[in-house]
Amino acid sequence: MAWAAKQQGGGSAANGLMHLESENKILMEALTARLGPSQKREPCELKIADFDDVLYKLFVPPETPNLVTLHCAIKDWKGVKDNGGQDRLEETFPGCVCTAEEGFDVAIRVDADNIPKGPWGSTGEACAKQMADIKTLLVGAPLVKAFKLLESGGSPQSGITTIQMRKPTPDGGGEMHIVAKADRVTVVFAVDFADETDKAITRIFLQEFVEAQRSVNNCPPANFSRGSEPPMEIQSFPNADGNPDIAGFISFTIFKSHVDSKPKMLQSAKQLVNFLTYLQYHVKATKTYMHMRMRSKVNSLLQVLTRAQQTSTEAKEKKTFTGKTFTRK
């Protein structure tokens, strides 16, 4: 994708931006300790809140410490489930899907003494990494479904698929619209933040994506539009009305060349699923940097004022050009 094409390696800084890993680090550490070579066999009950209103619960009962159960709750499970989420979960973790606890949408149980085989491999480390990235797996299912039709040349269903990525602000936003056609898939994000300063910074970021595509070869075309002017791809759908109070819309157009192999298809889906997280992180980082610069400038101005103050009140004797003396008080 355009925002990641210039960055080499996850988690590395390039051109002042950070490409975030999609896995939850806390969950990854806890799972690797139990499914990896260390084979930690201790009871555990860990609850984690992630970006996009996602909740996790990792549970290892004391009576069977080899059974690791992960519960997950996402914002719009119904929309995800209806568009391939459940099927992709069962395909990725065959025989591991179990009943989720109240308050969660899905759950998978893995026996640490008998790691199952899946598309990710058969090692404990690979299983832990895939489990820690379950949000991308589920929310990316509607995208992968549309990309597979695009790659195979199939006829997509007419209409628009809308996934509520996160809780909307009072003005709206937070949706991902997927418009699939025979030759392309257009993904439109309705972006908004509650804070007005965040909205202003967000608009600048979204406009920069349109500029960045000019210097990145073969990246998906990006387009930014104001909240009052939704992209043409979604203007005809009643559930995608514009709102002049939101930060705006950003759309990415995916062509067959972007998803003509499985790794490229999964990578494209991963980048799109985590786009709002990427954007939110850098908006907050920008505000932090601005505050640091302002504090630094204030400190330097205070130093100038301190140096300008007269440090001594004693009268000093001065001489004129002709040699006469006088006292300045």
Side-chain angles (χ1 to χ4, degrees):
M1 306 305 292
W3 64 91
K6 293 184 178 180
Q7 309 187 45
Q8 303 296 325
S12 62
N15 296 327
L17 296 181
M18 180 73 74
H19 177 46
L20 303 175
E21 294 287 355
S22 57
E23 299 88 2
N24 184 283
K25 294 300 182 182
I26 301 175
L27 194 58
M28 180 76 172
E29 181 180 346
L31 287 168
T32 302
R34 288 161 175 80
L35 302 179
S38 61
Q39 296 184 347
K40 186 177 182 180
R41 296 292 183 267
E42 294 181 1
C44 169
E45 185 172 357
L46 182 64
K47 294 183 180 180
I48 307 169
D50 204 349
F51 289 100
D52 298 332
D53 302 322
V54 176
L55 298 176
Y56 302 110
K57 180 182 178 181
L58 182 64
F59 180 66
V60 179
E63 59 273 11
T64 52
N66 61 306
L67 296 181
V68 180
T69 305
L70 175 63
H71 301 267
C72 179
I74 60 178
K75 180 62 181 175
D76 187 9
W77 169 240
K78 184 180 184 304
V80 171
K81 182 180 179 180
D82 293 343
N83 290 278
Q86 185 69 34
D87 295 337
R88 193 162 184 232
L89 181 67
E90 295 175 354
E91 176 186 342
T92 306
F93 296 100
C96 298
V97 181
C98 59
T99 303
E101 292 184 359
E102 184 178 356
F104 295 89
D105 301 308
V106 298
I108 51 177
R109 181 175 292 119
V110 174
D111 187 349
D113 295 333
N114 185 20
I115 302 296
K117 293 183 179 180
W120 35 265
S122 58
T123 64
E125 296 92 331
C127 182
K129 184 174 182 179
Q130 184 63 76
M131 291 175 69
D133 199 21
I134 191 171
K135 181 189 81 170
T136 302
L137 175 74
L138 296 175
V139 183
L143 291 167
V144 172
K145 181 180 178 181
F147 293 161
K148 285 182 177 179
L149 284 174
L150 176 64
E151 192 271 337
S152 64
S155 300
Q157 297 180 352
S158 60
I160 181 174
T161 300
T162 299
I163 304 297
Q164 188 72 41
M165 298 289 288
R166 58 176 58 177
K167 182 180 178 180
T169 67
D171 295 328
E175 304 95 357
M176 176 177 67
H177 307 290
I178 305 172
V179 185
K181 294 185 179 181
D183 61 339
R184 71 190 66 186
V185 174
T186 303
V187 183
V188 182
F189 292 95
V191 184
D192 194 40
F193 291 95
D195 185 76
E196 290 297 328
T197 304
D198 290 357
K199 289 185 182 183
I201 298 175
T202 298
R203 292 189 183 101
I204 296 174
F205 264 99
L206 297 181
Q207 292 174 37
E208 185 61 26
F209 280 106
V210 181
E211 298 296 327
Q213 68 177 338
R214 300 175 183 176
S215 59
V216 181
N217 296 328
N218 302 321
C219 71
N223 182 59
F224 168 73
S225 58
R226 294 280 183 175
S228 58
E229 302 174 355
M232 291 192 305
E233 291 84 358
I234 65 173
Q235 285 182 359
S236 59
F237 298 105
N239 61 336
D241 295 335
N243 187 333
D245 296 324
I246 68 172
F249 293 92
I250 182 77
S251 62
F252 300 97
T253 304
I254 310 298
F255 293 102
K256 187 175 181 179
S257 61
H258 298 128
V259 293
D260 55 6
S261 66
K262 186 174 182 180
K264 291 170 68 175
M265 183 184 301
L266 296 179
Q267 182 66 15
S268 296
K270 176 183 289 189
Q271 297 290 351
L272 288 167
V273 168
N274 293 283
F275 171 72
L276 293 180
T277 300
Y278 170 92
L279 182 64
Q280 180 181 356
Y281 175 86
H282 284 94
V283 167
K284 301 301 182 184
T286 299
K287 291 181 68 176
T288 301
Y289 176 73
M290 292 172 63
H291 289 159
M292 291 172 61
R293 289 292 302 271
M294 287 189 290
R295 292 190 186 101
S296 176
K297 188 65 175 177
V298 169
N299 290 335
S300 65
L301 291 174
L302 288 175
Q303 291 177 1
V304 172
L305 292 173
T306 301
R307 289 195 297 268
Q309 291 178 355
Q310 191 172 7
T311 57
S312 176
T313 59
E314 296 180 0
K316 294 184 179 180
E317 187 177 272
K318 302 289 183 179
K319 287 187 177 181
T320 65
F321 181 75
T322 57
K324 296 181 179 181
T325 60
F326 68 96
T327 301
R328 176 176 288 176
K329 296 182 179 179

